[in-house]
């Protein structure tokens, strides 16, 4: 079963949703899954260097107090899912485009899912600026990639067109919020759903696969 996750690296609900999907998959060990990350930028017009966090929160939520209330809900939800977030450590809201490029580079080596996890952790736990190419290269080095090689790739145009096109496809599909999960390019599930919400679609995938196998026999 192909599961494509449309998400952004600066979206805490995408991080929570990723953990919940993993829990659902653990409950369905029979399901053979290919997980594929698809980019969706929540702030496609963000400056390349990002912006100061307090200014971003004031613009997005109308003030730091409102942002604090929302963050508290997010952190409490994440903690229940085993993801202790530290949103107070974040000093800049980054442009996530290069992060999406890095995930696609890692995907070539079968490490796209692990790279997404590493970038989520770097941002939401360590408070790092994942729009900074040195930070991205260091994160990749933690997964065994060569720092200098990744920095060179990011300084070039590797995967730039692919990320642009994938993000454009998401908008053409009508996506306006993430996370959104597409199963076998036929069924969609939006939002950071509880693990149980994924199970019917995972079961459907098994039934369809067994039906194809039986027909082939």
């Amino acid at each position: 079963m192909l599961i494509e996750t449309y998400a952004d690296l600066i979206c805490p609900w995408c991080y929570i949703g990723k953990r919940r999907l993993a829990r659902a998959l653990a409950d369905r060990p029979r399901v053979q899954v290919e997980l594929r990350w698809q980019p969706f930028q929540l702030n496609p017009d963000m400056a390349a260097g990002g912006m100061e966090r307090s200014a971003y929160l004031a613009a997005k939520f109308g003030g730091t107090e409102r942002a604090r209330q929302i963050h508290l809900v997010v952190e409490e939800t994440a903690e229940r899912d085993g993801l202790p977030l530290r949103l107070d450590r974040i000093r800049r809201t980054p442009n996530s485009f290069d992060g999406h490029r890095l995930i696609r580079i890692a995907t070539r080596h079968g490490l796209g899912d692990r790279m997404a996890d590493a970038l989520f952790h770097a941002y939401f736990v360590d408070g790092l600026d994942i729009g900074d190419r040195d930070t991205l290269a260091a994160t990749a080095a933690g997964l065994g990639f060569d720092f200098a090689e990744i920095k060179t790739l990011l300084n070039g145009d590797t995967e730039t067109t692919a990320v642009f096109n994938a993000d454009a496809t998401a908008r053409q599909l009508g996506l306006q919020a993430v996370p959104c999960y597409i199963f076998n390019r036929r069924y969609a599930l939006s939002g950071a759903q509880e693990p149980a919400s994924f199970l019917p679609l995972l079961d459907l995938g098994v039934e369809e696969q067994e039906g194809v196998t039986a027909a082939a026999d």
Side-chain angles (χ1 to χ4, degrees), residues 180-207:
C180 182
Y181 308 90
I182 309 295
F183 296 77
N184 283 341
R185 295 183 173 168
R186 296 176 61 187
Y187 312 106
L189 185 65
S190 296
Q193 302 286 340
E194 293 290 342
S197 298
F198 292 100
L199 299 182
L201 288 171
L202 295 176
D203 291 339
L204 182 60
V206 172
E207 292 171 3

Side-chain angles (χ1 to χ4, degrees), residues 92-114:
R92 294 192 68 78
T93 297
N95 182 307
S96 60
F97 190 83
D98 282 343
H100 290 297
R101 292 172 60 206
L102 181 56
I103 289 175
R104 294 185 76 91
I105 292 169
T107 297
R108 301 177 185 174
H109 303 274
L111 294 173
D113 195 59
R114 286 185 60 193

Side-chain angles (χ1 to χ4, degrees), residues 37-96:
W37 180 276
Q38 296 291 5
F40 184 93
Q41 287 188 280
L42 291 172
N43 303 309
D45 299 320
M46 176 66 72
M51 67 185 295
E52 199 272 328
R53 183 68 170 175
S54 62
Y56 174 80
L57 295 177
K60 185 175 179 66
F61 299 115
T64 55
E65 178 57 28
R66 175 60 177 158
R68 189 192 67 79
Q69 295 171 358
I70 293 173
H71 283 174
L72 182 61
V73 172
V74 172
E75 289 176 338
E76 289 176 347
T77 302
E79 187 171 2
R80 289 196 296 271
D81 281 86
L83 294 172
L85 305 189
R86 288 298 305 272
L87 302 181
D88 59 302
R89 292 179 174 174
I90 300 173
R91 294 293 176 261
R92 294 192 68 78
T93 297
N95 182 307
S96 60

